[in-house]
């Protein structure tokens, strides 16, 4: 059975392809949502959008707007307000942030114009108009930031952490800037209005009055903040909980996959081979090893790390020959050609022990010191007389002794009949230390 | 085997495993009691006074370490042998540092387990090759590492040699033969290693653990 383990938990990547709710397609086809039309537009698509929504001719809607224009600029004001408030339609392309401010400015200007028309004499009325326009623009900007579609876009961009996406997104800076800008505009406007409507004339306004006005404005803003804070907090915690839940879910899924791919299959194989003691042991041992690796061991690629390479070789021999290899590796280092040769020699020693020693278990001990690698493979099996058999044992001569010699290492084989065998490999690695 | 039978206590949260161990050991030692939880274990060990406690490492309510620490305060003479399915370095080193006299994994053969219990009861330490490997790793020569008390924290060359042979799968008897020393001396070296491991400075071990991303 071949078992591959990707050791260690790989934290889940966000599923970029997660389905998002498609708002557009769920809307009933007869009455399109009230949006600014992107296709049918002269200025910003407001008239086109409204026309589509109320099923009238766009031209008629435009005429209505024009007719309203002379009434103290009501047409323009309405148009600007719709522009600001209505979301862009289906293929609503992204516009540059500065252009998105245009409707607010227009709304402000329109309000100002209205106030001028109402108070032709200027003076306080005119100033109030300006200030109201300020408040309108600021509020509009803040309102625009609260646009749920925008949040949805962030959520789409990065389902795990929309707030993070919003932060990293270039959009986010604009968001904060405009939010603050809007807040300042609103505050200034309110302060102005309060000051002007204080019982004194403009010339007599003292700093004290101004401070009182500032205080009022701040209290008002704080009130808004108080109202909004719990909502924001709830949203943040909900998002965090959702994110943690998803991570947990992913870990659970990974564990389930592991159990499914390996444990269940092994158990099924064991059931089928219940009569074959050796097979059951081999399967159980292999499964134990792979689970153990998955649970406890740090990741390491067998092609890069000495320890991992040895463990992999030991595992392979275990699986092939149905023996237990007690592998102990102290220290680690990167694998290069010579180290790989040493691992191969160690593997050959394990294979020899598994094949000839007639034992159930073999010890493999390896130590990686700064200047020296040592590997010991020991069994307590039948043993042999090295002087008597070495000539015809090409496995030992070629694969172990010869291989080590070719790569500048040593191999020593100690064996006593009846007491087992130990293969000692050593490789000096001083010159390779920096590689 | 005419000598007094050893009194052994089992702590493990899996009833099946306790039953299995009890069946395997019954012929050689007296299993005087068993417990499935930390609280139960602490109170029952107090009343039964066993020679050796076989201790599971991972249990739902605190694990073997909690039992060890609680019992050692009142009964320092009770010896502990950890018997765990985990041979993760942090479990092994952690339990040894808490005062266990040995650590074996649940795949051990019954004969080896009985032998390990005997050795622990005699005041000896039981090192599996794997455990020896961990200790060597933990005490790996680091000339640049500042050490608070070199006498206490460093392994002598002889101790290192003994550990290496242990890690290579040698029995005490074979180590004695290989190094031309008596078995008693081997046992002394191993016990010293264990003592040093329990007392070794926190800095070194935490650094070792951090190197391996264990913490």
């Amino acid at each position: 059975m071949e078992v591959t383990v990707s050791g260690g938990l790989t934290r889940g990547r966000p599923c970029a392809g997660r389905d998002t709710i498609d708002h557009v397609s769920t809307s009933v086809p007869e009455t399109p949502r009230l949006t600014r039309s992107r296709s049918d537009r002269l200025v910003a698509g407001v008239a086109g959008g409204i026309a589509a929504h109320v099923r009238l001719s766009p031209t008629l809607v435009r005429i209505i707007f024009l007719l309203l224009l002379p009434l103290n600029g009501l047409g323009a004001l309405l148009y600007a307000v719709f522009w600001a408030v209505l979301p862009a339609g289906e293929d609503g392309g992204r516009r540059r942030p500065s252009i998105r401010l245009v409707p607010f400015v227009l709304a402000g200007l329109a309000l100002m114009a209205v106030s001028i028309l109402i108070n032709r004499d200027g003076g306080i009325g005119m100033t109030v108009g300006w200030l109201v326009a300020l408040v309108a623009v600021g509020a509009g900007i803040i309102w625009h930031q609260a646009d749920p579609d925008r949040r949805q876009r962030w959520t789409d961009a990065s389902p795990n952490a929309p707030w993070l996406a919003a932060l990293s997104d270039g959009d986010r800076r604009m968001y904060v800037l405009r939010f603050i800008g809007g807040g300042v505009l609103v505050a200034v406007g309110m302060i102005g209005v309060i000051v002007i409507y204080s019982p004194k004339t403009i010339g007599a306004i003292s700093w004290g009055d101004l401070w009182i006005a500032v205080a009022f404005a701040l209290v008002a803003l704080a009130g808004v903040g108080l109202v909004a804070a719990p909502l924001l907090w709830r949203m943040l915690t909900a998002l965090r909980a959702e994110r943690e839940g998803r991570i947990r879910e992913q870990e659970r899924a990974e564990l389930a996959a592991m159990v499914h791919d390996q444990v269940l299959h092994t158990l099924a194989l064991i059931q089928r081979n219940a009569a074959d003691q050796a097979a059951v042991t081999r399967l159980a041992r292999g499964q134990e090893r792979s689970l153990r690796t998955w649970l406890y061991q740090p990741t390491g690629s067998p092609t890069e790390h000495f320890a991992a390479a040895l463990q992999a070789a030991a595992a392979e021999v275990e699986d092939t020959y149905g023996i237990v290899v007690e592998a102990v590796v102290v220290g680690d280092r990167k694998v290069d050609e010579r180290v790989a040769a040493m691992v191969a020699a160690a593997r050959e020693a394990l294979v020899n022990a598994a094949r000839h020693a007639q034992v159930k278990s073999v010890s493999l001990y390896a130590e990686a010191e700064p200047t020296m690698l040592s590997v010991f493979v020991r069994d307590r099996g039948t043993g042999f007389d090295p002087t008597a058999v070495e000539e015809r044992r090409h496995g030992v001569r070629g694969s172990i002794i010869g291989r080590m010699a070719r790569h500048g290492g040593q191999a020593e084989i100690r064996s006593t009949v009846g007491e087992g065998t130990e293969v000692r490999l050593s490789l000096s690695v001083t010159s390779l230390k920096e590689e | 085997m005419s000598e007094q039978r050893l009194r052994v206590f089992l702590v493990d949260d899996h009833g099946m495993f306790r039953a299995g161990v009890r069946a395997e050991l019954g012929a050689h030692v007296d299993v005087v009691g068993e417990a499935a939880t930390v609280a139960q274990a602490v109170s029952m060990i107090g009343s039964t006074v066993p020679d050796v406690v076989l201790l599971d490492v991972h249990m739902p309510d605190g694990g073997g370490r909690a039992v060890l620490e609680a019992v050692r305060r009142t009964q320092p003479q009770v010896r502990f042998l950890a018997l765990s399915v985990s041979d993760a370095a942090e479990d092994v080193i952690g339990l040894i540092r808490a005062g266990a006299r040995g650590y074996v994994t649940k795949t051990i053969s019954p004969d080896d387990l009985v032998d390990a219990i005997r050795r622990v009861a005699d005041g000896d330490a039981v090192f599996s090759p794997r455990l020896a490997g961990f200790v060597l790793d933990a005490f790996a020569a680091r000339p640049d590492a500042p050490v608070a008390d070199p006498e206490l924290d460093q392994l002598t060359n002889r101790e290192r040699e003994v550990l290496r042979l242990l890690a290579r799968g040698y029995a005490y008897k074979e180590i004695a033969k290989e190094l031309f020393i008596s078995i008693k001396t081997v046992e002394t070296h191993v016990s010293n290693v264990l003592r040093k491991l329990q007392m070794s400075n926190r800095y070194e071990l935490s650094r070792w653990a951090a190197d391996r991303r264990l913490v």
Side-chain angles (χ1 to χ4, degrees):
Chain A
M1 186 187 66
E2 189 172 327
V3 182
T4 43
V5 183
S6 64
L9 293 173
T10 46
R11 297 269 158 190
R13 276 153 297 168
C15 313
R18 188 169 284 261
D19 291 357
T20 49
I21 300 146
D22 192 345
H23 293 284
V24 179
S25 65
T26 50
S27 63
V28 190
E30 290 96 67
T31 48
R33 236 170 121 231
L34 184 54
T35 55
R36 282 186 308 181
S37 169
R38 305 299 299 176
S39 48
D40 182 12
R41 57 188 262 187
L42 290 180
V43 182
V46 170
I50 292 173
H53 185 64
V54 298
R55 311 187 131 270
L56 285 174
S57 155
T59 320
L60 186 60
V61 178
R62 286 190 187 110
I63 288 169
I64 292 172
F65 270 116
L66 284 174
L67 286 177
L68 287 173
L69 200 56
L71 302 173
N72 289 342
L74 187 58
L77 177 61
L78 273 177
Y79 194 92
V81 167
F82 272 121
W83 186 356
V85 169
L86 290 188
E90 269 102 274
D91 53 345
R94 293 176 62 98
R95 288 170 301 159
R96 286 210 314 284
S98 55
I99 296 184
R100 270 190 232 160
L101 288 179
V102 168
F104 304 116
V105 174
L106 283 182
L109 287 175
L111 274 171
M112 211 175 71
V114 170
S115 81
I116 292 169
L117 289 170
I118 292 168
N119 306 276
R120 282 167 195 282
D121 53 342
I124 290 178
M126 167 109 176
T127 318
V128 170
W130 270 103
L131 293 169
V132 170
L134 265 185
V135 173
V137 171
I141 290 170
I142 293 176
W143 169 267
H144 196 75
Q145 301 310 313
D147 177 8
D149 281 0
R150 175 187 302 268
R151 276 212 323 274
Q152 184 58 44
R153 260 209 319 278
W154 286 337
T155 313
D156 292 349
S158 165
N160 270 356
W163 292 94
L164 214 71
L167 267 171
S168 56
D169 195 2
D171 231 16
R172 172 67 178 190
R173 266 177 321 220
M174 286 307 296
Y175 176 84
V176 170
L177 271 178
R178 268 182 278 154
F179 206 99
I180 293 171
V184 167
L185 289 179
V186 172
V188 168
M190 283 167 69
I191 293 166
V193 172
I194 293 165
V195 167
I196 285 165
Y197 281 105
S198 70
K200 296 170 193 172
T201 56
I202 292 176
I205 290 172
S206 67
W207 281 110
D209 295 330
L210 198 61
W211 284 125
I212 288 168
V214 169
F216 267 111
L218 285 180
V219 165
L221 281 179
V224 171
L226 268 180
V227 171
L231 193 74
L232 277 174
W233 180 248
R234 246 203 321 275
M235 203 139 69
L236 269 175
T237 45
L239 280 168
R240 200 167 41 223
E242 190 196 330
R243 185 156 164 244
E244 280 169 6
R246 198 168 310 167
I247 287 172
R248 221 171 293 132
E249 178 62 27
Q250 246 158 15
E251 273 174 11
R252 206 195 66 82
E254 209 172 317
L255 182 64
M258 168 79 181
V259 169
H260 172 267
D261 293 351
Q262 304 201 5
V263 182
L264 289 182
H265 285 247
T266 310
L267 287 177
L269 282 174
I270 285 177
Q271 283 174 32
R272 217 176 300 151
N273 296 307
D276 184 349
Q277 182 66 43
V280 169
T281 311
R282 189 170 53 79
L283 287 168
R285 174 75 187 163
Q287 188 57 62
E288 183 209 340
R289 185 183 53 244
S290 81
L291 273 177
R292 199 175 280 291
T293 312
W294 194 72
L295 285 172
Y296 298 120
Q297 285 193 353
T299 48
S301 154
T303 53
E304 284 170 17
H305 292 276
F306 176 58
L310 275 175
Q311 309 268 19
E316 210 182 307
V317 173
E318 277 193 345
D319 282 346
T320 314
Y321 296 96
I323 60 162
V324 174
V325 178
E326 302 276 7
V328 177
V329 183
V330 173
D332 202 356
R333 65 164 285 128
K334 289 259 185 277
V335 168
D336 57 25
E337 194 195 339
R338 297 175 68 212
V339 175
M342 188 182 202
V343 171
R347 186 182 179 282
E348 190 59 32
L350 286 172
V351 168
N352 277 345
R355 239 195 238 150
H356 305 295
Q358 296 165 22
V359 283
K360 286 259 178 291
S361 89
V362 180
S363 330
L364 165 73
Y365 173 70
E367 189 166 357
E369 289 167 292
T371 57
M372 177 75 86
L373 295 182
S374 341
V375 176
F376 303 89
V377 175
R378 183 190 163 82
D379 66 72
R380 293 161 185 287
T382 54
F384 61 95
D385 181 357
T387 53
V389 271
E390 212 170 305
E391 282 308 311
R392 60 180 176 83
R393 283 186 64 158
H394 294 291
V396 171
R397 287 170 62 80
S399 299
I400 301 179
I401 300 174
R403 185 180 267 146
M404 288 309 291
R406 275 200 298 282
H407 292 89
Q410 281 109 48
E412 187 192 340
I413 295 165
R414 277 196 180 189
S415 185
T416 315
V417 175
E419 280 184 30
T421 308
E422 185 173 56
V423 178
R424 303 172 175 188
L425 310 175
S426 57
L427 185 67
S428 168
V429 289
T430 338
S431 57
L432 300 173
K433 204 180 171 188
E434 294 308 313
E435 287 180 26
Chain B
M1 216 173 283
S2 58
E3 60 192 280
Q4 202 183 346
R5 277 160 70 94
L6 288 170
R7 296 160 52 76
V8 174
F9 192 93
L10 292 177
V11 181
D12 197 303
D13 57 326
H14 291 110
M16 287 262 277
F17 188 77
R18 289 201 307 274
V21 173
R22 188 192 270 270
E24 298 275 14
L25 295 185
H28 309 281
V29 300
D30 281 334
V31 179
V32 295
E34 48 186 70
T37 65
V38 172
Q40 202 186 345
V42 172
S43 74
M44 281 181 69
I45 292 169
S47 58
T48 54
V49 197
D51 296 312
V52 175
V53 175
L54 283 182
L55 193 60
D56 189 17
V57 178
H58 290 289
M59 290 194 288
D61 49 351
R65 196 159 180 166
V67 177
L68 237 167
E69 277 158 3
V71 173
R72 273 172 75 81
R73 242 177 277 133
T74 54
Q75 293 167 285
Q77 80 282 4
V78 176
R79 304 198 196 279
F80 287 87
L81 175 61
L83 175 62
S84 172
V85 76
S86 151
D87 57 5
E90 66 267 38
D91 289 336
V92 177
I93 301 283
L95 223 67
I96 295 290
R97 283 176 60 77
R101 299 293 298 178
Y103 194 110
V104 293
T105 56
K106 285 181 175 174
T107 51
I108 193 172
S109 73
D111 293 342
D112 288 346
L113 182 56
V114 171
D115 185 51
I117 291 170
R118 288 234 172 81
R119 267 203 258 158
V120 167
D122 287 343
D124 220 359
V126 177
F127 272 55
S128 68
R130 207 174 164 74
L131 177 46
F134 289 146
V135 175
L136 277 172
D137 229 359
F139 283 103
R142 273 199 201 88
D144 54 328
V147 173
D149 186 351
E151 285 295 303
L152 196 65
D153 286 326
Q154 292 301 315
L155 299 181
T156 65
N157 283 339
R158 223 343 117 77
E159 284 161 357
R160 213 180 286 270
E161 266 178 283
V162 169
L163 277 181
R164 283 207 178 103
L165 288 170
L166 269 173
R168 280 157 66 177
Y170 280 59
Y172 281 21
K173 180 173 82 214
E174 294 163 324
I175 295 171
K177 208 171 115 196
E178 180 84 15
L179 298 178
F180 304 108
I181 53 180
S182 73
I183 293 184
K184 205 69 221 160
T185 315
V186 175
E187 286 172 355
T188 312
H189 284 314
V190 171
S191 291
N192 285 343
V193 171
L194 191 72
R195 186 177 52 84
K196 287 183 180 183
L197 190 56
Q198 280 163 15
M199 301 201 297
S200 67
N201 68 60
R202 200 162 279 281
Y203 172 81
E204 180 112 354
L205 273 178
S206 61
R207 188 186 140 141
W208 169 77
D211 283 351
R212 275 152 192 77
R213 287 171 286 161
L214 295 176
V215 288

